[in-house]
Amino acid sequence: MNADGTADDTDDTYADPATIRRILQGTGDTWAVVGLSGNRSRAAFGVAEVLQRFGKRVVPVHPKAETVHGEQGYASLADIPFPVDVVDVFVNSELAGGVADEAVAVGAKAVWFQLGVVDPDAFGRTRAAGLDMVMDRCPAIEIPRLGGPA
């Protein structure tokens, strides 16, 4: 762990390289991005662009239910009327566990907590439910490591 509490590149406790590869390359192409709005200054906006360049369908999930990057937004995961493969979480750690539980409830295959988002209990619950999960990593950083577009 780094001094700020984030995982360093050698800490694979919550970011197993095989799991990262499986989520990015094989889990599916529909990513619900929780916290994605039309605010271009937020990290979620840029990460969603990278995911789209990598061939992922990005579904914005935000209370405003805004259309972002050409995709209809939804106020919650439960409001999405089609299957979601991966739930990418851009909310703070205190709220992230609830989002992970919602991801399990809607039948997602994987959950991805962004940099700085850590909830070990949610990790345990999500993995126990049979989902892949990564915490404290960013797919926009991991994609280039796999040789994908950035």
Side-chain angles (χ1 to χ4, degrees), residues 61-148:
V61 179
H62 189 279
K64 294 180 182 178
E66 297 175 271
T67 296
V68 182
H69 298 308
E71 288 285 345
Q72 168 65 47
Y74 298 90
S76 71
L77 290 174
D79 291 339
I80 301 172
F82 48 82
V84 170
D85 299 308
V86 181
V87 176
D88 189 5
V89 182
F90 277 93
V91 300
N92 67 46
S93 296
E94 291 75 31
L95 300 174
V99 176
D101 295 338
E102 290 174 35
V104 171
V106 301
K109 299 173 187 167
V111 176
W112 191 297
F113 280 10
Q114 284 293 326
L115 290 172
V117 182
V118 177
D119 182 336
D121 292 336
F123 185 87
R125 289 192 311 271
T126 303
R127 295 290 297 132
L131 281 70
D132 278 333
M133 185 163 180
V134 170
M135 284 197 315
D136 197 25
R137 289 289 191 271
C138 178
I141 294 170
E142 300 300 327
I143 286 170
R145 292 180 182 177
L146 298 177

Side-chain angles (χ1 to χ4, degrees), residues 35-48 62 69 90-92:
L36 175 58
S37 71
N39 185 342
R40 294 175 175 273
S41 68
R42 303 291 301 206
F45 192 90
V47 170
H62 189 279
H69 298 308
F90 277 93
V91 300
N92 67 46

Side-chain angles (χ1 to χ4, degrees), residues 1-11 14 93 114-118 135-137:
M1 284 286 183
N2 295 317
D4 64 359
T6 59
D8 61 30
D9 287 337
T10 61
D11 184 354
Y14 299 119
S93 296
Q114 284 293 326
L115 290 172
V117 182
V118 177
M135 284 197 315
D136 197 25
R137 289 289 191 271

Side-chain angles (χ1 to χ4, degrees), residues 36 40 43-55 58 69 150:
L36 175 58
R40 294 175 175 273
F45 192 90
V47 170
E49 283 182 320
V50 172
L51 289 169
Q52 282 186 323
R53 284 198 309 268
F54 191 58
V58 172
H69 298 308

